Amino acid sequence: MTLDAFLGHFNYWVFAILLMIGFYAVIAKGNLIKKLVGLSIFQSAVFLMYISMSKVEGGTAPILQAGAVDPIYSNPLPQVLILTAIVVGVATLSLGLAIVVRINERYGSIEERELLDAD
Amino acid sequence: MTIVFALFLLTLLVVTALAIVRTKNLFIATMLLSIFSLLMAVNFFILDAADVALTEAAVGAGVTTVIFLSALRLTSQYERGSLASSRWIAVIVVVTTTVLLISGTINTPNLGDPNAPVHQHVAPFYLENTEALMGFPNVVTAVLSSFRGYDTLGEVFVVFIAAVGVMFILDARQGTGPEYELRVEKGLKHHLIPRAVGGLLIPFMLLFGLYVQFHGEYGPGGGFQAGAIVATAFILHAILEGERTALKAFSRNAQMALIIGGSTLYGAVGVVCMLKGGTFLDYSVLMEDPVTARQVGIIIIELGVGMAVCGALLSIFHSFAARKPVAQAK
Amino acid sequence: MDIESHLPILQVIIPLLFSPLVVLLQPRGLAWVATTAVCILSFAIAINMAILVLGGQTLEYELGGWQPPFGIALRIDAISSLLLLIVTGAATAAVLGCRESLNQQIESHRQPLFFAAWLLLLAGLVGMVVTADAFNIFVFMEISSLAGYILIAGGPDRRALLAVFKYLIMGTIGATFYLIGVGLVYMMTGTLNLDDMARLLPGVADQTTIPFAAAFITVGLALKAAMFPLHVWLPNAYTHAPHAVTVFMAACGTKVAVYVLLRFDFVVFQSADLYHGLQFSLFLMPFALLGIVVASAVAMFEGQIKRMLAFSSVAQVGYILLGASLLTQDGLTASFAHMFNHALAKSTLFLSIACLGMRFMDLRIDQLSGAAKSMPFTAAAFLIGGLSLIGVPGTAGFISKWLLIEALMEQGEQGLLMVGIVLLSSLMAVVYIWRTVEVLYFRTPVQQDTTQQGSEVVLSEAPALMVGVTLLMAALNIVFGVMPDVPLSLAEAAAEILSGARQ
């Protein structure tokens, strides 16, 4: 594994690790809010993957600079996609938390084990 | 140097994520999540994604943390240690998938490789033609508002449905009882430091929000970031002054009006384009000169986005904040 | 403005842009009227486009005036058209046929918010079907998912909340997996337009990233489609949702996810690499067969009528996936035909349950004894829907089961084994349908005192509008069982498109 390949893929490995940390929290933790926190980490990892994809060596943010000589810009498209994905993530989280609050009011608990026994 | 910094930041991300999952105190988990989002935002910035960094900081580190804290106040701060019984299966699944994922991405192009397929074909078109077609420099805004404006319309409605959903789920007046009364809080304004800092920050945040809204075409910014920043200013005001004063300043109906107005404004622009002979969201038919027409179209829809996002985030915050916690059954 | 050329986008923006306005309609019942009107209008647009498509046209639309892949494009062909008829038809039937049920289950001050979510569910599903851009599918998938969570959370008892939380977690994981898959494909091709991907993918098909991308997309969509064993969110979600929501979602929710899966797989992946077809088939077929057998078996022992039918739905998704996994044109025709016919059967069944729900608060099967005496039309509709589900000749369900069996027989010995499984599961369907019909018709009525006044009530038939729509849907089962030309020609054209894409 050359240094070049290592550095070139480190971002994607971090993506894989973060993805699985979040996924683990979602499936293995019993507290409903912890599950939502894990979901949040899970989604953020995907953002990292897309934005890593958009980077160009020696480039700068894709805002055109007047009068620049032979400019290199990073890719704007993944950035647009992730802007949308971030908002979708926040929306899902808000709904999830509202549901958890209601569950707490109706059941008196937000631990999965207690909830499964309740009904 | 940047490489070392980037590696350090990425490692810090992993460490923070592990800490979040391990801790049993949900308040600490939320604070760490906020730090995680901020680290993510800095990472985005290093990777040249300025708009995304701004959004992640405002929405991820800012608003998400506030919503989590509001929810924690209504539920409980501590996680019971009872892990689901399938813990070891979960670990095995997770480790296997990680190994598979890492081996699967071995063949992807290196980070930053300018010859990667992603950077051919569609992206150069945007970079080369934005100046001529739209007349302003922020390519991300051009793609977001015009080239892929239909996606952004969908996004505004995602925000709308979140606000509607939280109101539907939380405002249920299913019966009478103490938990359904609006609990009015006095706010933090009797504490000196929050009051002083808030007094300085709130007007600046509002001004900055407006700047970000209307300068989205020339620098990082746009409707989403602006909406989030302005909403945060009002949330800070609500925390300082208490719910009653905050809701008098910016009532639930006003918030709803912003949401409905913003999303309808966006859709209306698209429909007007159709009526004038173009396809949906084809701003070039709005005026004589297509370049100016696109700029005008984009300014209006970005305004719609900003209004909707601001109203929705505020509405979601107040749905949680104005609710009285129920006594916990230990 | 030439309306016809704008039909593709109108299909989406009419429900989408009316939803914020519905929130404003506070007066009693007005929100329902507006929602019904919008659903009927959407259905009319879908029919209009179906007529054009049957005439041989493919409708295309460039948003913002930009050509794909630089902008987002919409495309309506036979496949989209079939799905649009199913989705808009289900939305209209559910909202029209459940007015009193909704008034019973959703408080009137919350109804404007509920109906806004209803219209957004419709807009989201329709948006997924008409678009030709992979990321656009994600955006509208999330719109429909979020709207779906809200609608289910309106359910009458607190178990709806647990059901919807589980659905939210699993649904978001599925959507995120889909997003990862699309990201990986984008990384290798540089485009988001489906046809453009299909064009560029053969050039990079030897990279190991591509099977990973396909795996993520398939698993993500399988979660949403409730393919066994990722179906676990479905039974509780369908059972505890308001009855009208179950009608709508059971008829079309999972089918749209299957549609996206098939479109992606056949158009994008299989055009690049025929070996992928084998992987797809080998992955899907066992799960489809297991789903059919296990879900039908569980349904036989289920005591609550909605949960029984929910498990039946998991089995039906199995039939649809089985047909597709054969990779033949006949298999695909059977899949598409079954999408249509199952939507008819299930919506009839759940509509009749909504009618039953007007008079019986407890929907466990043994509590419904003798209901046919006081609710003859409702019971008749249930009977017809049940026969269609089993696949009795003369009903719509028979047509698609027959096509499936024909397609399986082409596969030689293994095909005969699978035919056996299909017939076995049909027998199991006979068991669970007959069990319910027997209770409805041949048992003596149980004493009911579940009214709020606490006194006995003379049970009567459900409100006229509800019964009318339910009987109409039941009748359609028979109409399309005897005269299946229109949906069948759409299904055949759809199968042709997907098979052709594999070359």
Side-chain angles (χ1 to χ4, degrees):
Chain A
M1 169 111 293
T2 65
L3 185 65
D4 189 48
F6 173 77
L7 290 176
H9 288 95
F10 189 66
N11 280 53
Y12 300 118
W13 297 350
V14 168
F15 148 68
I17 295 173
L18 285 177
L19 196 75
M20 287 298 115
I21 292 176
F23 190 62
Y24 175 78
V26 172
I27 52 181
K29 294 289 178 180
N31 182 299
L32 295 187
I33 291 194
K34 209 48 174 313
K35 284 184 195 280
L36 286 175
V37 169
L39 202 63
S40 185
I41 299 176
F42 184 72
Q43 291 179 310
S44 298
V46 180
F47 304 159
L48 184 63
M49 177 188 94
Y50 269 78
I51 299 293
S52 305
M53 215 196 291
S54 80
K55 167 88 180 146
V56 174
E57 184 78 46
T60 175
I63 299 175
L64 304 169
Q65 292 162 4
V69 176
D70 210 11
I72 307 177
Y73 297 111
S74 286
N75 193 333
L77 187 54
Q79 300 182 15
V80 172
L81 305 179
I82 292 307
L83 274 176
T84 307
I86 290 177
V87 174
V88 169
V90 160
T92 312
L93 198 66
S94 312
L95 267 185
L97 285 171
I99 295 172
V100 170
V101 166
R102 278 302 283 157
I103 289 180
N104 187 49
E105 286 173 5
R106 299 299 297 270
Y107 284 90
S109 161
I110 53 170
E111 296 287 334
E112 192 181 32
R113 179 144 288 164
E114 291 166 23
L115 292 169
L116 285 175
D117 291 334
D119 282 318
Chain B
M1 192 56 223
T2 328
I3 299 180
V4 174
F5 189 50
L7 287 179
F8 171 66
L9 272 181
L10 288 170
T11 319
L12 212 53
L13 265 179
V14 176
V15 169
T16 317
L18 284 169
I20 294 174
V21 173
R22 295 277 333 233
T23 176
K24 293 267 180 299
N25 183 330
L26 290 173
F27 178 73
I28 294 180
T30 307
M31 289 295 106
L32 284 174
L33 192 62
S34 175
I35 294 175
F36 180 85
S37 296
L38 201 59
L39 286 172
M40 199 54 105
V42 177
N43 252 307
F44 291 158
F45 186 68
I46 294 183
L47 292 168
D48 298 338
D51 277 82
V52 185
L54 185 51
T55 312
E56 175 71 20
V59 172
V63 177
T64 308
T65 312
V66 171
I67 297 180
F68 258 113
L69 288 174
S70 321
L72 276 186
R73 168 183 157 266
L74 293 170
T75 55
S76 98
Q77 191 184 326
Y78 290 96
E79 177 186 355
R80 226 67 64 75
S82 59
L83 291 178
S85 50
S86 48
R87 182 185 183 188
W88 287 114
I89 308 178
V91 171
I92 296 174
V93 165
V94 161
V95 168
T96 329
T97 323
T98 316
V99 169
L100 281 176
L101 261 176
I102 292 182
S103 59
T105 47
I106 286 277
N107 278 329
T108 57
N110 276 351
L111 182 69
D113 180 2
N115 295 319
V118 235
H119 304 304
Q120 323 304 325
H121 188 31
V122 178
F125 176 86
Y126 295 144
L127 288 168
E128 283 155 25
N129 293 304
T130 298
E131 187 63 49
L133 289 170
M134 317 259 176
F136 57 76
N138 188 344
V139 185
V140 173
T141 303
V143 177
L144 184 77
S145 325
S146 179
F147 292 109
R148 295 191 69 96
Y150 182 51
D151 266 348
T152 312
L153 178 69
E155 190 180 348
V156 169
F157 277 87
V158 167
V159 155
F160 166 72
I161 193 71
V164 163
V166 171
M167 279 196 295
F168 180 76
I169 295 174
L170 284 186
D171 280 2
R173 283 179 256 154
Q174 279 164 316
T176 54
E179 70 256 37
Y180 299 105
E181 286 163 11
L182 264 194
R183 172 156 173 228
V184 185
E185 303 197 61
K186 285 213 247 24
L188 292 181
K189 65 173 189 271
H190 51 281
H191 290 293
L192 176 63
I193 293 181
R195 192 171 82 229
V197 172
L200 284 173
L201 275 185
I202 293 177
F204 174 71
M205 285 162 83
L206 287 173
L207 198 59
F208 186 58
L210 283 176
Y211 169 81
V212 166
Q213 170 79 52
F214 291 109
H215 260 78
E217 286 128 37
Y218 298 92
F224 290 102
Q225 298 90 328
I229 293 172
V230 171
T232 324
F234 280 106
I235 291 177
L236 183 54
H237 173 254
I239 292 176
L240 286 176
E241 294 289 327
E243 282 293 298
R244 174 180 288 159
T245 320
L247 285 175
K248 258 198 260 179
F250 201 151
S251 69
R252 300 301 296 254
N253 287 337
Q255 294 157 21
M256 206 60 220
L258 265 189
I259 304 175
I260 297 179
S263 36
T264 314
L265 183 63
Y266 198 138
V269 169
V271 171
V272 168
C273 297
M274 272 165 56
L275 291 172
K276 286 203 151 204
T279 57
F280 188 68
L281 293 177
D282 181 6
Y283 314 122
S284 59
V285 299
L286 288 173
M287 298 169 92
E288 294 291 320
D289 169 30
V291 176
T292 322
R294 287 197 189 103
Q295 288 181 0
V296 167
I298 290 178
I299 289 184
I300 301 180
I301 61 129
E302 287 275 21
L303 190 61
V305 170
M307 285 164 65
V309 170
C310 176
L313 290 177
L314 263 182
S315 171
I316 292 174
F317 168 73
H318 282 295
S319 295
F320 283 102
R323 203 172 182 76
K324 181 176 177 182
V326 175
Q328 263 293 301
K330 271 303 161 207
Chain C
M1 180 178 89
D2 169 23
I3 297 253
E4 196 174 281
S5 65
H6 291 289
L7 281 180
I9 191 61
L10 284 174
Q11 179 82 91
V12 181
I13 60 174
I14 284 182
L16 192 72
L17 296 181
F18 269 102
S19 67
L21 301 175
V22 164
V23 176
L24 295 170
L25 298 174
Q26 288 294 336
R28 269 192 81 91
L30 203 54
W32 177 85
V33 172
T35 308
T36 312
V38 171
C39 290
I40 293 178
L41 185 55
S42 306
F43 189 44
I45 295 177
I47 294 179
N48 196 335
M49 289 202 287
I51 295 176
L52 291 171
V53 166
L54 280 171
Q57 281 186 40
T58 300
L59 305 173
E60 293 184 339
Y61 198 84
E62 289 169 8
L63 282 150
W66 305 112
Q67 267 194 346
F70 306 115
I72 299 173
L74 306 180
R75 199 224 271 113
I76 318 276
D77 54 20
I79 322 175
S80 341
S81 200
L82 185 65
L83 264 303
L84 285 175
L85 286 174
I86 296 176
V87 172
T88 52
T92 313
V95 77
L96 198 56
C98 289
R99 176 171 67 151
E100 288 84 357
S101 178
L102 285 168
N103 281 333
Q104 178 195 50
Q105 292 191 307
I106 314 280
E107 305 91 341
S108 52
H109 70 269
R110 287 209 294 171
Q111 281 189 2
L113 298 172
F114 180 87
F115 284 116
W118 183 282
L119 284 178
L120 278 178
L121 176 58
L122 176 61
L125 290 172
V126 163
M128 276 171 82
V129 171
V130 304
T131 184
D133 182 285
F135 190 77
N136 201 225
I137 292 179
F138 171 74
V139 175
F140 279 91
M141 180 158 62
E142 287 301 84
I143 292 181
S144 67
S145 300
L146 291 173
Y149 306 146
I150 298 170
L151 292 176
I152 296 176
D157 74 65
R158 64 182 193 173
R159 286 171 294 180
L161 293 169
L162 290 184
V164 83
F165 187 78
K166 178 172 228 159
Y167 182 23
L168 186 145
I169 296 281
M170 290 185 75
T172 309
I173 294 179
T176 312
F177 276 178
Y178 173 80
L179 191 61
I180 296 175
V182 168
L184 288 173
V185 175
Y186 174 65
M187 204 192 284
M188 306 308 288
T189 57
T191 178
L192 290 169
N193 180 286
L194 290 176
D195 299 304
D196 214 27
M197 276 182 194
R199 187 176 60 88
L200 290 169
L201 210 57
V204 289
D206 50 346
Q207 306 278 356
T208 53
T209 319
I210 300 298
F212 271 94
F216 270 112
I217 293 180
T218 309
V219 172
L221 290 172
L223 255 169
K224 292 253 170 206
M227 179 186 88
F228 185 89
L230 301 169
H231 66 285
V232 289
W233 57 267
L234 192 142
N236 280 337
Y238 280 14
T239 309
H240 300 299
H243 303 311
V245 174
T246 315
V247 175
F248 188 6
M249 291 185 75
C252 61
T254 54
K255 296 182 183 61
V256 176
V258 173
Y259 156 82
V260 177
L261 179 62
L262 294 181
R263 178 82 83 169
F264 232 106
D265 231 276
F266 281 80
V267 172
V268 177
F269 290 118
Q270 292 189 28
S271 67
D273 170 16
L274 277 183
Y275 182 60
H276 175 87
L278 202 59
Q279 291 171 332
F280 179 71
S281 193
L282 285 175
F283 174 72
L284 223 54
M285 211 181 281
F287 286 123
L289 289 167
L290 274 173
I292 294 173
V293 173
V294 172
S296 301
V298 174
M300 286 199 298
F301 296 101
E302 251 307 322
Q304 214 262 25
I305 199 174
K306 282 180 90 172
R307 186 177 271 113
M308 173 189 91
L309 289 176
F311 275 103
S312 167
S313 286
V314 175
Q316 305 297 316
V317 170
Y319 289 137
I320 297 175
L321 290 173
L322 182 62
S325 67
L326 297 174
L327 301 180
T328 60
Q329 191 161 334
D330 287 334
L332 284 168
T333 312
S335 285
F336 285 118
H338 199 61
M339 281 191 199
F340 186 83
N341 295 330
H342 173 241
L344 276 180
K346 267 297 154 51
S347 44
T348 308
L349 286 167
F350 278 115
L351 274 170
S352 61
I353 290 182
C355 293
L356 285 172
M358 293 301 296
R359 306 289 177 236
F360 294 86
M361 292 307 122
D362 185 347
L363 287 177
R364 281 177 295 166
I365 297 180
D366 47 17
Q367 298 295 314
L368 297 171
S369 305
K373 289 197 179 45
S374 44
M375 308 180 76
F377 295 112
T378 305
F382 186 91
L383 179 63
I384 297 177
L387 291 176
S388 190
L389 194 67
I390 297 170
V392 167
T395 60
F398 172 72
I399 305 281
S400 42
K401 276 223 174 124
W402 179 249
L403 284 172
L404 182 62
I405 292 179
E406 271 190 334
L408 286 171
M409 303 243 266
E410 289 166 14
Q411 298 293 316
E413 280 182 7
Q414 294 159 319
L416 283 180
L417 178 63
M418 292 193 275
V419 171
I421 293 181
V422 170
L423 289 174
L424 175 66
S425 60
S426 302
L427 274 174
M428 293 200 256
V430 172
V431 169
Y432 58 74
I433 296 289
W434 173 248
R435 197 167 54 116
T436 318
V437 167
E438 196 241 332
V439 168
L440 288 176
Y441 276 95
F442 299 120
R443 298 249 186 102
T444 52
V446 170
Q447 295 285 339
Q448 288 283 329
D449 65 340
T450 52
T451 62
Q452 282 144 343
Q453 298 101 352
S455 59
E456 267 183 52
V457 166
V458 176
L459 291 174
S460 60
E461 186 55 271
L465 181 59
M466 286 179 71
V467 175
V469 174
T470 312
L471 283 176
L472 177 64
M473 294 303 289
L476 283 178
N477 270 290
I478 301 184
V479 165
F480 285 115
V482 176
M483 294 190 302
D485 312 307
V486 170
L488 207 53
S489 38
L490 273 178
E492 280 165 355
E496 213 177 296
I497 296 175
L498 283 190
S499 309
R502 295 184 70 221
Q503 306 322 330

